[in-house]
Amino acid sequence: MWLARCVSILAFAHFAVVPYCDAVEPVTVSVVAGLTGLVSSAGWFGKDFLLDNTYCKFTECCRKPYIKADVAALKASLKGSLYGQHIVQDVLVNAIGAHYDNIENSRKPLVMSFHGTPGTGKNYVSDFVAAALYKNGISSKFVYKYTASDLDTDLAASVKQTVKNCPYSLFIFDEIERMPTGVFDSIVSLLDHHSALKGFDFTKSIFIFLSNSAGIEIAKKLKSLMDDGSYRDQTKLSDFERIAELAAYNLIGGLYRSGVIESHVIDHFVPFLPLEPRHVLLCIKKELQLQQCPETSENDIKKIMDEAMTPDKTEQFSNNGCKRLSKKVEAFCYQRRLKHNYNNKR
């Protein structure tokens, strides 16, 4: 059994992975050398077979099944768990689907910038993207999520090394308005067309920027459209995309006067619309379901909503979306379980 394991690892070593064999088993150097030579000259298995049945059995590799790119799963997740964001669903499914459909001929990475008030689902959606693209989801070693405190190193060098390890990497930059001005200028050339350097191929990667910028402007525009007689679900990307782009460019932070915007390397400015009370209600019901909360009435849901949601200046939308719901619902369900258990013991 040891011999077979050693042979597999030595065979895989032929493809530039450091060989390793347990020294506790008796085997001569000449036998091991002979096995290695046999693999090299005869080519027992294809490279893919060796990867799948040796190294990649024990650790995440930059290949299937770890890179799964399941766009259908992304579409299902967005449809079932994201409320009030028809534009987001449409843009993401088409953009990511097209990127992976043409992945081998891609001429630039896919770059998207998410904009909207807190609680509208930006982080939520980025987690859905990771879950759909990678077997290990947001925990994948090919998913890199940066916050303002993470950007104290050479960003360009970090991105290059990451892409060198796996061209199919996903980069998520959160709260970019809190990041230093100009921080992204060093990676502009990496996001552009034909963004391939010697030893690096950025064209298969995806970059997502998350920002609260343009949230107020998007809300005002949506209210104006609805006041003029448009239904929310009739609004289009073109109604908001320029608003998001200008807000990102003019707001002090990571994209302020940035070459990333000036060079037009961002493919989609994705607006997250402010949520209405009916959407917050759906979020509460979803969270109650996840918490498996016992004996919940409509009055209970209204009470949670009164505590968790504050209206914005328009009095039409939620100021905080679904941001504060999870802990509110968690506390409510905990109290309800205590009461339920007490009544059952009487």
Side-chain angles (χ1 to χ4, degrees):
M1 183 175 180
W2 170 86
L3 188 58
R5 177 169 176 250
C6 190
V7 168
S8 293
I9 297 174
L10 284 171
F12 186 55
H14 179 59
F15 298 100
V17 172
V18 178
Y20 169 80
C21 296
D22 295 325
V24 295
E25 298 285 350
V27 64
T28 64
V29 173
S30 59
V31 171
V32 173
L35 290 170
T36 307
L38 182 60
V39 170
S40 299
S41 59
W44 277 357
F45 308 108
K47 180 180 178 181
D48 289 345
F49 182 89
L50 285 170
L51 285 168
D52 292 339
N53 289 279
T54 54
Y55 181 74
C56 295
K57 265 192 172 296
F58 306 101
T59 190
E60 185 181 19
C61 289
C62 183
R63 54 187 290 108
K64 292 181 178 180
Y66 298 104
I67 309 292
K68 60 178 186 173
D70 192 344
V71 180
L74 174 61
K75 184 176 182 179
S77 295
L78 294 174
K79 185 177 180 180
S81 301
L82 184 68
Y83 307 117
Q85 305 296 355
H86 65 287
I87 296 174
V88 175
Q89 294 183 34
D90 185 56
V91 173
L92 256 66
V93 170
N94 289 322
I96 294 175
H99 178 70
Y100 273 95
D101 191 52
N102 192 46
I103 196 75
E104 297 308 321
N105 299 312
S106 177
R107 291 177 294 155
K108 77 178 292 294
L110 174 60
V111 186
M112 297 182 287
S113 189
F114 294 176
H115 298 268
T117 51
T120 49
K122 299 183 295 294
N123 268 289
Y124 201 44
V125 166
S126 65
D127 287 355
F128 282 152
V129 171
L133 301 187
Y134 305 92
K135 181 180 179 180
N136 293 340
I138 197 69
S139 299
S140 170
K141 64 183 180 182
F142 308 127
V143 177
Y144 297 82
K145 194 165 189 176
Y146 297 85
T147 61
S149 60
D150 298 322
L151 293 182
D152 55 357
T153 57
D154 186 339
L155 180 59
S158 174
V159 169
K160 287 178 182 178
Q161 185 57 51
T162 299
V163 168
K164 188 172 185 179
N165 293 337
C166 183
Y168 303 93
S169 294
L170 170 64
F171 299 89
I172 302 169
F173 300 94
D174 193 12
E175 298 179 327
I176 58 174
E177 64 273 9
R178 297 186 181 182
M179 295 180 180
T181 298
V183 69
F184 298 115
D185 289 348
S186 65
I187 65 170
V188 172
S189 62
L190 311 183
L191 307 180
D192 212 340
H193 284 80
H194 304 292
S195 48
L197 306 174
K198 188 174 182 180
F200 306 95
D201 181 7
F202 304 94
T203 63
K204 297 174 176 58
S205 299
I206 297 177
F207 292 77
I208 299 176
F209 300 95
L210 310 182
S211 175
N212 293 330
S213 68
I216 294 174
E217 292 81 359
I218 289 171
K220 287 180 179 178
K221 179 65 174 181
L222 178 59
K223 184 179 187 305
S224 173
L225 291 169
M226 293 174 69
D227 287 346
D228 288 341
S230 294
Y231 289 104
R232 180 192 184 98
D233 291 349
Q234 291 177 326
T235 58
K236 306 179 295 296
L237 175 64
S238 58
D239 292 325
F240 305 99
E241 191 166 25
R242 183 60 175 163
I243 293 172
E245 181 179 2
L246 288 174
Y249 187 69
N250 291 311
L251 183 71
I252 298 297
L255 290 180
Y256 178 69
R257 301 285 192 268
S258 172
V260 171
I261 297 179
E262 291 178 343
S263 299
H264 304 289
V265 296
I266 297 179
D267 304 297
H268 303 282
F269 288 88
V270 186
F272 281 68
L273 305 182
L275 300 185
E276 299 171 40
R278 61 190 174 104
H279 301 123
V280 178
L281 187 67
L282 292 172
C283 289
I284 293 173
K285 289 182 176 180
K286 182 73 172 183
E287 194 64 37
L288 287 167
Q289 184 181 8
L290 292 173
Q291 294 278 348
Q292 297 182 327
C293 203
E295 300 176 6
T296 307
S297 68
E298 290 298 321
N299 284 336
D300 293 328
I301 294 173
K302 185 180 183 303
K303 181 181 177 182
I304 296 171
M305 190 163 176
D306 289 342
E307 291 181 0
M309 193 197 88
T310 55
D312 68 357
K313 291 182 179 179
T314 69
E315 297 290 329
Q316 193 167 343
F317 308 119
S318 169
N319 188 51
N320 53 312
C322 295
K323 187 87 172 177
R324 299 166 54 197
L325 292 183
S326 62
K327 287 300 178 182
K328 290 286 186 182
V329 172
E330 187 178 88
F332 171 82
C333 292
Y334 175 75
Q335 182 185 42
R336 182 52 55 89
R337 287 192 188 96
L338 288 178
K339 183 178 179 181
H340 182 75
N341 292 337
Y342 174 77
N343 289 337
N344 285 342
K345 289 178 180 179
R346 292 180 65 183

